[in-house]
Amino acid sequence: MAQQKKSSTLGYIVVITLVLTALYVFFNPSPQSPEKVTLDTFLSDINSEIVETIQVSSNKIDYTTTGGANFYTIKESGQTLSEVLATVDPAKTDGIAMEVIDTTSNNIWMELAVSLIPFILIIGFLLFMMKSAASSNNQALSFGKSQARIADPEKKKTTFKDVAGAREAKEELIEIVDFLKNPSKYTSMGAKIPKGVILIGQPGTGKTLMARAVAGEANVPFFNISGSEFVEMFVGVGASRVRDLFKKAKRNAPCIVFIDEIDAVGRHRGAGMGGGHDEREQTLNQILTEMDGFEQDTNVIVMAATNRPDVLDPALLRPGRFDRRVVIDTPDIEDRTEILKIHTRNKPLAKNTELERIARQTPGFSGADLENLANEAAILAAKNNKKSVTQHDLEISIEKVVMGPERKSRVLSAKEKEITAYHETGHAIVGHLLPECDPIHKISIISRGMALGVTWFLPEEDKHLYSKTKFENELASLLGGYATEKMMFGEVSTGPSNDLERATKIAHKMVTKYGMSDLGPTIFGDNNDEIFLGKDFKHMRTYSEEIASKIDAMVRSIVEKALKQATEILKKHEKQLHEIAKTLIKEETLDRKEFIKLFDTTSTLNLKLP
Ligand code: ADP
Ligand code: MG
Ligand code: ZN
């Protein structure tokens, strides 16, 4: 509305102005254009004293008379006004206002301007070119600038409260926080402030989170860069990025520089396959130089994270560099409960949820896995239009995270279903009867991910040590599926392939890594992943051909012994095998209680375990 009003007012003003102008022009005819007269007339007008003003520009002389009329006349070029008036009595010109307009100089300026225009244009163009060249140059140069991101101070700070568990790690890091807050407390005692802290832990255990929390607790800036960002396609970029990063950091001290995934640059120097390690070496050298170059009172603490401390260059870890090592463990059951609490804080949980039970069912989950689990549960609840996230949502999400989503679309034929049911029952029965196997949690023949069925064992508590018997029992249970197929159908399908692979790996480790075979307590190193990490790929094998064949034989005998054990158990419990497999075909899923009930009611034999 207001807009419209304004524009209509404007319209009126324009119209009125136009009308007024027209009226003015109409009633106020412009002064008569000057009439041309001869030079003589001009002089005689002066002599008769009727000239009031004279204006000379170039060869033209304009003059007005006392009657208000305008005239003009032309003089010879080069003649000045006083020369023109030479013949007139000076007394006659006394009262005349004379003005000479200097047109010649005007013209010179005009001419100069005109002739300069092309130059001006050219210079402008050149300047423009230079400027744009410079800016693209800048872009090329900024490759060497670190891409470190500084955490936004406006954003909510991460603190130790956001990191659940990891008590020991926190305790060590509290010290670092104190260094950053009160450096003088330590320097006055002659203590050196640590320069580097390396956080070691499996992926997803919260290393990055922890580093952020340290910065948040100390309330200092946090420069965050990933090791892989140092290694780009241009040689020398890494080193210059490091220089730049440290320069920035020193300007912002006290602060934390966080180098994530430091193993990308910090591997053993002088090793590694493939190209590009020179660049890495330079980058690493630059980091070391920068850290050595810190003044005693430079309050910059470099934190780094890795999940492969074993491949790091020893020079990184020596005193005065990353000499503080903080291990962040995979969370235990209590920590898992805490982490779940943190990640369900902003989700409406049903009243009867027991996060501790979820924690119990998720051994080996990292913080990131648990976060994912909580998120999946929330998605599931939302999908079903529920008001809150229930225990059931959480439990289903565990299965989804562990085994991939159920694939209801994959339809098994009756025969496939039967084979799968027997196979899984085989695993379950052997696992159930062997003392060192974890309790059964669930058996299912709903296909998930790549697997057609699954038998899920769940330990009562987190385990840190494994005995030889435990490995043997697990091998037997792993081979339970294979044994059943062979027993029931006379031949095996491709189903147990994954079981066999895992069994072979376990047996191989027992022999070469844990000293759990007749070959004695020697480690036979041919850890394959070292090849990729380039630590010592020249000495891939530290043993002779003879030992190699002994290892093979040993692995085979361990696996075969397990298969025999599994077959014996299954033969003795054939009745249960049939009963449970049939129920499984009907029900598709059995939980722990249902399985045990079925097993016990069909049990006739009282087995004496081998
Ligand atoms: P890392 O750097 O060790 O691979 P991150 O720090 O990136 O792991 O962790 C990934 C996510 O997992 C974090 O953003 C956080 O949400 C969650 N997380 C991991 N550990 C914890 C923990 N102890 N407490 C709370 N959340 C955690
Ligand atoms: Mg990380
Ligand atoms: Zn199997």
Side-chain angles (χ1 to χ4, degrees):
M1 262 317 264
Q3 195 80 22
Q4 249 174 24
K5 206 166 178 181
K6 217 187 226 168
S7 65
S8 65
T9 322
L10 204 74
Y12 282 126
I13 290 175
V14 169
V15 170
I16 290 170
T17 315
L18 281 177
V19 170
L20 284 181
T21 315
L23 287 176
Y24 179 82
V25 169
F26 189 73
F27 288 107
N28 214 15
S30 62
Q32 274 170 3
S33 50
E35 186 186 330
K36 191 177 173 179
V37 294
T38 62
L39 203 55
D40 284 337
T41 322
F42 168 58
L43 290 175
S44 72
D45 278 352
I46 290 182
N47 278 326
S48 43
E49 291 182 55
I50 55 163
V51 174
E52 223 171 39
T53 64
I54 300 177
Q55 204 179 44
V56 185
S57 66
S58 187
N59 294 336
K60 193 173 165 211
I61 300 174
D62 286 282
Y63 69 96
T64 55
T65 59
T66 41
N70 293 317
F71 302 97
Y72 77 92
T73 179
I74 302 294
K75 67 179 172 61
E76 251 174 75
S77 75
Q79 223 181 5
T80 66
L81 182 61
S82 35
E83 279 165 357
V84 173
L85 298 179
T87 57
V88 181
D89 175 8
K92 303 261 164 120
T93 58
D94 263 359
I96 306 174
M98 283 189 235
E99 193 186 2
V100 178
I101 294 172
D102 192 356
T103 49
T104 45
S105 60
N106 246 356
N107 279 343
I108 285 177
W109 283 119
M110 270 302 280
E111 262 166 50
L112 211 66
V114 168
S115 58
L116 278 181
I117 282 173
F119 289 102
I120 291 171
L121 282 179
I122 289 171
I123 289 172
F125 183 68
L126 281 178
L127 280 176
F128 173 75
M129 291 288 286
M130 272 158 73
K131 206 169 160 194
S132 61
S135 76
S136 64
N137 232 353
N138 266 349
Q139 256 161 23
L141 287 175
S142 72
F143 269 118
K145 293 263 159 49
S146 81
Q147 314 269 303
R149 291 158 301 271
I150 182 161
D152 187 358
E154 294 295 306
K155 246 172 50 186
K156 209 182 126 273
K157 284 214 165 60
T158 311
T159 61
F160 282 154
K161 275 208 203 83
D162 301 303
V163 189
R167 244 160 288 122
E168 291 87 354
K170 273 187 201 166
E171 254 157 50
E172 291 205 41
L173 291 169
I174 281 173
E175 213 172 274
I176 303 292
V177 172
D178 204 31
F179 284 137
L180 285 165
K181 274 183 165 166
N182 317 303
S184 54
K185 184 163 121 194
Y186 296 87
T187 46
S188 67
M189 296 297 278
K192 275 190 194 158
I193 290 186
K195 291 175 184 167
V197 182
I198 193 155
L199 300 172
I200 298 168
Q202 292 303 307
T205 44
K207 300 182 291 295
T208 311
L209 185 72
M210 190 66 106
R212 251 175 221 291
V214 172
E217 287 284 333
N219 204 7
V220 296
F222 179 79
F223 291 93
N224 174 9
I225 194 163
S226 171
S228 56
E229 281 173 54
F230 287 127
V231 191
E232 290 246 358
M233 59 182 165
F234 298 108
V235 181
V237 161
S240 82
R241 278 195 182 162
V242 173
R243 240 173 284 132
D244 184 65
L245 171 64
F246 279 85
K247 209 159 65 191
K248 267 190 209 158
K250 277 185 225 161
R251 236 184 286 134
N252 286 290
C255 68
I256 288 181
V257 171
F258 180 60
I259 306 177
D260 213 347
E261 327 279 342
I262 195 171
D263 38 306
V265 286
R267 280 188 205 148
H268 275 249
R269 286 171 288 183
M273 278 165 73
H277 68 267
D278 277 348
E279 173 70 0
R280 234 175 46 207
E281 261 174 44
Q282 280 187 17
T283 309
L284 178 56
N285 284 339
Q286 191 64 43
I287 293 178
L288 297 181
T289 316
E290 291 287 348
M291 288 181 76
D292 288 344
F294 279 174
E295 306 288 325
Q296 204 33 255
D297 53 353
T298 315
N299 205 355
V300 175
I301 292 187
V302 187
M303 294 183 84
T306 181
N307 49 6
R308 294 297 313 251
D310 51 321
V311 301
L312 288 183
D313 195 293
L316 267 176
L317 304 173
R318 66 141 234 234
R321 287 165 181 172
F322 290 101
D323 48 356
R324 303 252 160 168
R325 294 193 221 177
V326 176
V327 177
I328 303 194
D329 289 315
T330 316
D332 61 17
I333 183 162
E334 276 163 43
D335 291 351
R336 288 199 297 272
T337 316
E338 291 304 311
I339 296 174
L340 281 170
K341 270 186 202 155
I342 286 185
H343 290 292
T344 47
R345 259 191 317 214
N346 58 352
K347 301 180 176 70
L349 285 185
K351 269 199 211 86
N352 60 352
T353 44
E354 289 171 71
L355 294 178
E356 211 219 299
R357 260 177 54 206
I358 303 296
R360 191 172 292 285
Q361 291 176 40
T362 48
F365 270 43
S366 69
D369 292 331
L370 291 167
E371 186 187 7
N372 182 17
L373 162 68
N375 191 45
E376 287 290 345
I379 290 176
L380 196 66
K383 216 157 77 180
N384 296 331
N385 299 320
K386 287 192 211 162
K387 291 229 167 53
S388 56
V389 180
T390 62
Q391 185 79 8
H392 185 65
D393 294 327
L394 287 162
E395 271 169 16
I396 290 185
S397 304
I398 302 178
E399 292 174 24
K400 196 168 168 191
V401 173
V402 174
M403 299 177 291
E406 290 185 354
R407 288 178 45 174
K408 298 226 166 85
S409 62
R410 186 192 265 173
V411 182
L412 298 186
S413 71
K415 184 74 188 167
E416 279 172 338
K417 227 172 169 177
E418 192 189 357
I419 295 175
T420 309
Y422 271 99
H423 176 111
E424 297 305 333
T425 312
H427 283 307
I429 290 180
V430 177
H432 180 61
L433 289 171
L434 289 176
E436 291 279 316
C437 281
D438 294 326
I440 288 164
H441 181 66
K442 202 170 192 180
I443 319 169
S444 149
I445 55 166
I446 297 171
S447 59
R448 287 168 185 280
M450 295 299 289
L452 292 185
V454 67
T455 307
W456 187 2
F457 297 94
L458 201 64
E460 314 247 72
E461 57 211 6
D462 295 351
K463 285 212 169 70
H464 305 287
L465 283 179
Y466 289 76
S467 66
K468 185 181 172 196
T469 317
K470 173 154 178 71
F471 279 128
E472 286 173 344
N473 285 186
E474 279 197 343
L475 279 177
S477 152
L478 259 177
L479 290 162
Y482 180 92
T484 314
E485 287 193 27
K486 213 152 182 202
M487 236 170 85
M488 291 296 124
F489 309 103
E491 57 172 8
V492 289
S493 69
T494 52
S497 148
N498 182 259
D499 298 337
L500 301 184
E501 198 182 319
R502 275 169 59 201
T504 313
K505 257 190 203 148
I506 292 177
H508 197 266
K509 272 195 182 160
M510 287 170 71
V511 178
T512 60
K513 214 172 164 184
Y514 305 130
M516 288 177 177
S517 75
D518 297 347
L519 287 185
T522 313
I523 306 296
F524 304 103
D526 62 351
N527 199 344
N528 274 335
D529 26 12
E530 299 295 10
I531 299 175
F532 296 106
L533 295 164
K535 192 170 164 187
D536 44 10
F537 75 105
K538 286 190 203 95
H539 332 275
M540 247 160 62
R541 241 164 60 174
T542 53
Y543 46 84
S544 63
E545 287 295 327
E546 195 196 334
I547 296 282
S549 69
K550 273 191 188 161
I551 291 174
D552 288 345
M554 201 57 76
V555 169
R556 200 170 326 130
S557 92
I558 290 175
V559 175
E560 255 151 29
K561 195 175 140 208
L563 178 61
K564 204 168 140 231
Q565 194 182 16
T567 315
E568 270 167 23
I569 293 174
L570 289 166
K571 282 210 172 112
K572 280 187 193 147
H573 295 81
E574 223 183 304
K575 209 167 163 188
Q576 279 100 330
L577 182 61
H578 285 300
E579 204 54 44
I580 296 171
K582 269 181 207 145
T583 319
L584 196 54
I585 292 171
K586 250 190 290 163
E587 306 278 331
E588 294 201 329
T589 322
L590 294 175
D591 65 16
R592 174 175 171 71
K593 270 193 219 137
E594 292 166 331
F595 172 83
I596 291 179
K597 201 170 153 213
L598 269 172
F599 188 87
D600 288 346
T601 47
T602 9
S603 180
T604 46
L605 279 162
N606 222 347
L607 175 82
K608 185 116 183 21
L609 286 173

